[in-house]
Amino acid sequence: MKRLFSLLLLALAIGVGAATENYPYRSDYLWVTVPDHADWLYQSGEEAHVEVQLYRYGVPQDCTVTYEIADDMMPADRRGEAVLRAGRAVISMGTRPTPGFRDLRLRAVIDGKTTEHHVKVGFSVEDIRPSVKEPAGFMDFWSKNIDEMRAFPLTYTKERADEYCTDKLDCYLLKVTLNKQRQAVYAYLFYPKGARPGSHPVVLCPPGAGIKTIKEPLRHKYYAENGCIRMEMEIHGLDPRLPKETFDDISRAFNGKDNGYLTNGLDDPDRYYMKRVYLSLVRCLDLLTALPEWDGRNVIVQGGSQGGALAIVAAALDSRVTQCIVNHPALSDMAAYAHGRTGGYPHLNRIDGLLTDQTMNTLAYYDVVNFARHVKADTYMTWGYNDNTCPPTTSYAVWNTLTCPKESLITPINEHWTSDETEKGQMEWMMRHLNPTP
């Protein structure tokens, strides 16, 4: 236990990096929660205990902590208090009789100031299964729509984006037309400097959720610097060069709680907003594999949250994909809440009356779990347990459904984030698993 605590503090210290800031960032408070199983995992029926520690300015606090315990993303079913002495107490989280996660939610008031934390532990996670069922004709539905899209010729514009070019890479802004309605997506395309014909893997990176610009296009420049052609795309047909204020205005107008794009057209699988988004993935892969610089063998999809969901969708819909790299996939087992179970982002149970038989039928055609069943590409997946956006229950529902060659990196303490080190490690994993060119 002492060794695990030391390792946790070391990890926290490393995480602040060159900024030399405290963890959490500029907070006076530090919670440390240490489950009595080092991997935070238990079998159903096994009791979990968590040592809770609280520090203010690095000083252990003697105080009363109130807590509640709940199934992952669910209302609390148990409440209590624990008295911290020398900043420490042990709380029993009990167990679960069925596979899933329990969440210990902590709260303390010190000198009138409130600080909160939580920690999730899993039970028989290898047995977590999704509630969503694959519709009859699922892949036929998507094959038909892909054929209809491809009946419209692949067309796009391409202009140099000097602001993102460096001495090691060249960048271009693309506008890719999707269909006869002239709907489009934008993307930044990064080439290694001096890219040669037939020499480079291609990597498609779909975005996280929201209506926003393509964030920090150079953040993953190391893909191009290591010989890959990488496409960073958006999904709404909005020029990423628009001012932030314009994106904010559009998001407020068209992505509110009750009118967001993830609910637009949800009454019909053929009218749902995400239909053209999913199809745009195949269209972008058509473009990437038509580039003369593509090595002809390696097609990678990579993303996190909504982007991770879209990476799985792309790998299922396009047999050319050879690797699928995913962080905490969204859009997974979305209708599970209707069955009293933990569901995935965008947590549609929060909109009263939305989860009807009709909308759940549509969701089944778009649920990432149903696509996971069809992924054949080598897959590398990362997720954390404390995530309340894409909860670990739904990540395991995806992971346990995948039957392709797969590897995982599980980071229990993570909420809805991955470190720069983890993301660079994904590129290194990709490089190790490339198909060699002849």
Side-chain angles (χ1 to χ4, degrees):
M1 182 73 71
K2 289 182 179 178
R3 181 174 182 272
L4 176 59
F5 175 50
S6 298
L7 289 173
L8 281 170
L9 290 183
L10 176 61
L12 300 179
I14 292 172
V16 300
T20 63
E21 299 283 3
N22 289 336
Y23 175 89
Y25 181 70
R26 294 193 179 185
S27 173
D28 295 337
Y29 302 95
L30 171 64
W31 292 87
V32 178
T33 46
V34 186
D36 59 346
H37 283 197
D39 60 1
W40 302 26
L41 298 178
Y42 302 79
Q43 290 302 306
S44 295
E46 190 174 10
E47 187 172 1
H49 298 86
V50 177
E51 182 180 57
V52 175
Q53 305 169 30
L54 177 58
Y55 301 85
R56 188 186 189 194
Y57 311 126
V59 178
Q61 297 297 293
D62 289 345
C63 63
T64 297
V65 171
T66 58
Y67 64 84
E68 60 181 33
I69 303 174
D71 288 344
D72 194 6
M73 304 301 296
M74 294 296 187
D77 52 54
R78 180 179 152 200
R79 293 176 173 82
E81 292 184 348
V83 177
L84 272 58
R85 304 197 184 280
R88 298 177 180 228
V90 174
I91 298 175
S92 170
M93 290 185 65
T95 189
R96 275 187 64 111
T98 57
F101 277 79
R102 295 282 281 169
D103 190 5
L104 173 62
R105 304 162 185 167
L106 303 158
R107 183 174 184 268
V109 179
I110 301 173
D111 292 339
K113 305 292 185 182
T114 299
T115 177
E116 296 179 331
H117 188 60
H118 79 123
V119 58
K120 298 183 189 181
V121 300
F123 297 86
S124 298
V125 296
E126 67 279 0
D127 295 325
I128 293 174
R129 295 291 182 270
S131 61
V132 65
K133 306 299 182 186
E134 183 174 313
F138 175 75
M139 290 303 289
D140 290 339
F141 171 85
W142 286 107
S143 295
K144 172 178 175 291
N145 280 289
I146 290 169
D147 289 343
E148 290 177 358
M149 176 189 69
R150 283 180 169 156
F152 182 82
L154 171 64
T155 57
Y156 62 96
T157 61
K158 180 179 179 182
E159 61 180 289
R160 187 173 175 84
D162 288 321
E163 65 272 30
Y164 298 123
C165 295
T166 74
D167 60 338
K168 296 181 179 179
L169 58 87
D170 293 314
C171 179
Y172 296 86
L173 179 64
L174 307 182
K175 182 180 180 181
V176 185
T177 303
L178 304 176
N179 48 41
K180 63 184 179 182
Q181 289 80 31
R182 311 299 297 180
Q183 292 173 314
V185 294
Y186 285 82
Y188 285 113
L189 187 63
F190 294 90
Y191 289 87
K193 187 72 76 173
R196 303 182 309 278
S199 301
H200 303 280
V202 292
V203 183
L204 176 66
C205 180
I211 298 177
K212 56 195 176 186
T213 190
I214 297 174
K215 186 177 179 182
E216 300 179 58
L218 285 173
R219 182 182 174 195
H220 298 105
K221 63 181 181 178
Y222 43 77
Y223 279 86
E225 291 174 348
N226 282 273
C228 299
I229 297 171
R230 181 177 173 91
M231 179 186 284
E232 297 264 358
M233 65 176 290
E234 61 83 45
I235 61 171
H236 302 293
L238 298 173
D239 191 324
R241 297 168 297 187
L242 291 171
K244 179 181 182 301
E245 292 76 13
T246 301
F247 277 100
D248 291 344
D249 287 343
I250 294 170
S251 185
R252 281 189 289 267
F254 298 105
N255 198 35
K257 176 184 176 183
D258 296 321
N259 69 334
Y261 67 90
L262 287 168
T263 63
N264 189 330
L266 196 53
D267 57 333
D268 185 338
D270 274 312
R271 295 180 59 250
Y272 187 35
Y273 187 95
M274 296 301 284
K275 176 181 172 181
R276 72 176 181 87
V277 174
Y278 285 17
L279 294 174
S280 74
L281 303 169
V282 178
R283 183 57 105 189
C284 287
L285 291 173
D286 287 344
L287 190 159
L288 286 170
T289 55
L291 296 175
E293 296 86 358
W294 176 46
D295 66 10
R297 296 176 63 84
N298 291 287
V299 178
I300 299 96
V301 288
Q302 183 268 324
S305 193
Q306 177 187 265
L310 297 178
I312 292 173
V313 170
L317 292 180
D318 198 320
S319 61
R320 293 170 297 187
V321 173
T322 55
Q323 291 183 34
C324 180
I325 302 172
V326 180
N327 299 326
H328 39 249
L331 314 181
S332 302
D333 214 12
M334 291 179 282
Y337 288 110
H339 307 288
R341 298 176 53 181
T342 303
Y345 181 86
H347 306 293
L348 297 172
N349 61 310
R350 296 172 182 173
I351 303 176
D352 289 343
L354 185 66
L355 290 176
T356 65
D357 289 345
Q358 189 172 10
T359 59
M360 287 192 292
N361 175 67
T362 297
L363 286 173
Y365 284 93
Y366 293 86
D367 199 290
V368 166
V369 169
N370 287 334
F371 289 92
R373 296 188 175 100
H374 298 275
V375 172
K376 301 292 189 295
D378 293 353
T379 298
Y380 184 53
M381 185 167 149
T382 297
W383 66 99
Y385 292 165
N386 284 349
D387 197 334
N388 277 342
T389 302
C390 298
T393 301
T394 59
S395 286
Y396 270 106
V398 172
W399 176 255
N400 292 338
T401 299
L402 291 166
T403 59
C404 56
K406 59 184 181 179
E407 295 182 35
S408 66
L409 172 64
I410 299 173
T411 56
I413 201 171
N414 284 30
E415 300 198 24
H416 197 61
W417 56 272
T418 49
S419 68
D420 290 341
E421 182 179 357
T422 293
E423 294 191 11
K424 190 168 185 180
Q426 292 173 336
M427 187 271 295
E428 293 166 348
W429 182 91
M430 180 204 76
M431 298 296 290
R432 291 193 301 271
H433 290 79
L434 290 176
N435 293 316
T437 54

